[in-house]
Structures are given as structure tokens and as C-alpha cells.
Amino acid sequence: MHLHLAYPAVLAVLLFCVGLYGVLARRNAILVLMSVELMLNAVNLNLVAFDVWLRDSLHAGQALTLFTIAIAAAEIGIGLAIVLAVYRNRGSSAVDDLRDTAEGPDDGTDGGTDDGTDGGTDEETAPAQKAEATA
């Protein structure tokens, strides 16, 4: 019996597209991780289908699939740990809220100048203010 490569390839493309949509459209971090797993499973399906189609004596596609499954398990474990830590700190697992943690405080200061807001004495800030006033 000869395997038609089109059937698993079309199924893998559909799975990958559903996973890609899930990564791009979802806001919940858990659903994004599940979508990444769906994409990895589409790749695994292609690896096994091409391994059978090429009749590889070493079964390299199946071996690569086992490595992919192991990496996916590690990825989901670390990903869930990060999502749980973020959920405990922020109370939400929305991906849009995670963008706020990467950005610094948006107060307009550059942090490196002495503009008198650091609680220093007036003697320390007076020369800087005089220089700004004369410039």
C-alpha cells in the first residue's frame, strides 16, 4: 500500500494555520502556548509522513519527532511556570498586560540627570539650575 503524501500534508497545513491564528489572535497566554503546541504537532505530522513516504531505513523523521516532542514538553513546562508566576504577580495572564512589564516607567525622565527630583539638597541642584537658566 502506498501512502498518498497529500493527505497528511494538507492536514498538517491546516493544523499549522489554526495554530498560527491562535498565536496571532489570542490574548490569553495559555491559549498562545496551546497554539504553539498545535504548530509543533503539525511539524511532527509532516516529519512522520515524509519519513514513511521516503521509506527511510534509519527512520530519521520519527527520531526528529521524538526530539521535537521532548523539546515541546520542556517548552510547555517552562512556559506554564512563567505564566503562573506572571498570573500570581499581576492577577491576569493576558499577553497585552505582559507588554507593560517589559517597558520601564514612563515618567519622562532619563534617570541620568540631576533635575532636583531625587531628594538631594538644594546646594547640589543649585549650580545645575543656574546653568540651565543662563543657557
Side-chain angles (χ1 to χ4, degrees):
M1 183 170 116
H2 184 56
L3 173 74
H4 293 284
L5 189 60
Y7 298 129
V10 168
L11 181 61
V13 166
L14 290 175
L15 282 174
F16 193 85
C17 288
V18 169
L20 186 65
Y21 173 75
V23 167
L24 295 176
R26 298 293 175 194
R27 294 178 186 255
N28 190 354
I30 301 290
L31 293 177
V32 170
L33 286 173
M34 288 175 62
S35 298
V36 169
E37 291 294 321
L38 198 61
M39 292 168 64
L40 286 172
N41 284 330
V43 171
N44 288 340
L45 181 62
N46 266 335
L47 284 171
V48 171
F50 275 98
D51 182 54
V52 171
W53 185 65
L54 293 173
R55 292 189 173 97
D56 186 17
S57 63
L58 295 176
H59 299 293
Q62 294 178 21
L64 284 174
T65 298
L66 288 176
F67 283 116
T68 307
I69 290 171
I71 289 172
E75 174 257 335
I76 200 71
I78 292 171
L80 282 175
I82 291 171
V83 168
L84 279 173
V86 168
Y87 183 77
R88 285 181 182 167
N89 287 337
R90 293 210 163 234
S92 172
S93 63
V95 178
D96 293 337
D97 295 341
L98 296 179
R99 291 189 188 130
D100 297 337
T101 60
E103 298 171 359
D106 195 22
D107 58 355
T109 62
D110 59 355
T113 60
D114 190 16
D115 57 355
T117 60
D118 62 347
T121 60
D122 290 336
E123 292 82 23
E124 294 173 350
T125 59
Q129 289 173 353
K130 283 184 182 179
E132 287 177 8
T134 57

